[in-house]
Amino acid sequence: MYSARRTCLGALLGAASLLLCACVTLDRTEAPAAAAATVGHPPPKVVLALGGGAARGFAHVGVIKTLESHGIVPDMVIGTSAGSVVGALYAAGYSGYELQKLAMKLDESAITDWSLADRGVLKGEALQKFINEAVKQQPMEKLKKPFAAVATDLKSGEAVTFRSGNTGMAVRASSSVPGVFQPVTINGREYVDGGLVSPVPVRAARAMGGEVVIAVDISSKPKNGKVSGLMEVLLQTFAIMGSHLGQAEMKEADVVIRPDIPGIGSTDFKSRNDAILEGERAAQAALPLIRAKLGIR
């Protein structure tokens, strides 16, 4: 009888022990789930929107260098005109320092091909070839970052955003300043410079899925100075127009970086180093706002 009671008591104690272990085990498996519930939201999608400005586009390189040096790497990039040139290379995997090296050794003749046609003094084929060789013939959808280039439909006057296809051709279309470059035909439609409708492509950046848009405006008003030659007159006129046209759209950006480059002309390739340095300074000044928008301390 006593033995039976001991056996029954032992069984009860064993059952209680198992139940206690089960409770402890359950508590331990629930703890990570509770911790997981406190994890914050994923970081916002950041789009870098690079504006047009001919030779002033070298300032974009300085902006990218500074952002990278502070660990700010955009998820996507979009560009208009000169911004599409730098944007395509950046999306292809060139770092800010690699872009600077490429910029400093760039021969202007490598992207200019003169023409006797009456629709533009440059064909634009050299620019297309330069970009395609630099990105190793990769189409836009195969670049390392999502990339888009904004151009203007010559017939309808509407902004068109290219996100796939021939990278060099899209950049060429986005950069085809009327009167300077010949219009570019893509799928039976003619396209010219995106700066006609969107000098700094903020809205297109939002359409790409950008939650935080960092816009770079290089269309600062030029200083009084001599403007000589047909190409310089056309580019200067385009720059003046762009500095006013993009104001409303840029208000929709989260951050606007404006390098101080009014003394650099549209065809001033010799001042590329100054443009890069001004891009670095402007981006440095914008870092506190950028960090605030991204929730970075």
Side-chain angles (χ1 to χ4, degrees), residues 13-192:
L13 289 173
S17 178
L18 288 173
L19 181 60
L20 180 61
C21 288
C23 290
V24 172
T25 302
L26 181 62
D27 287 343
R28 287 178 179 173
T29 55
E30 283 184 343
T38 64
V39 174
H41 296 291
K45 293 291 183 183
V46 180
V47 182
L48 184 62
L50 305 177
R56 295 174 182 170
F58 290 111
H60 292 316
V61 175
V63 170
I64 290 170
K65 280 183 62 185
T66 297
L67 294 180
E68 283 188 339
S69 68
H70 288 82
I72 299 170
V73 182
D75 301 288
M76 299 171 276
V77 60
I78 184 170
T80 292
S81 199
S84 74
V85 175
V86 177
L89 299 175
Y90 184 43
Y94 287 83
S95 69
Y97 285 98
E98 289 169 337
L99 287 172
Q100 182 175 18
K101 289 180 181 179
L102 185 62
M104 296 310 294
K105 67 180 183 180
L106 176 65
D107 185 351
E108 187 180 352
S109 64
I111 56 174
T112 54
D113 46 1
W114 299 96
S115 169
L116 297 176
D118 58 357
R119 305 187 74 194
V121 295
L122 297 176
K123 296 177 183 177
E125 293 173 358
L127 174 60
Q128 178 177 327
K129 180 182 178 183
F130 170 79
I131 293 295
N132 279 335
E133 289 180 350
V135 304
K136 299 179 181 179
Q137 308 301 326
Q138 292 289 311
M140 300 174 76
E141 64 271 21
K142 295 294 185 180
L143 300 179
K144 294 183 179 180
K145 289 181 186 290
F147 167 68
V150 176
T152 303
D153 187 310
L154 185 57
K155 186 175 182 180
S156 69
E158 296 177 344
V160 176
T161 302
F162 292 104
R163 297 189 62 179
S164 62
N166 188 306
T167 303
M169 184 172 287
V171 169
R172 174 186 171 191
S174 180
S175 306
S176 292
V177 178
V180 177
F181 287 91
Q182 296 174 13
V184 181
T185 302
I186 301 176
N187 296 327
R189 306 284 296 186
E190 287 190 319
Y191 297 95
V192 291

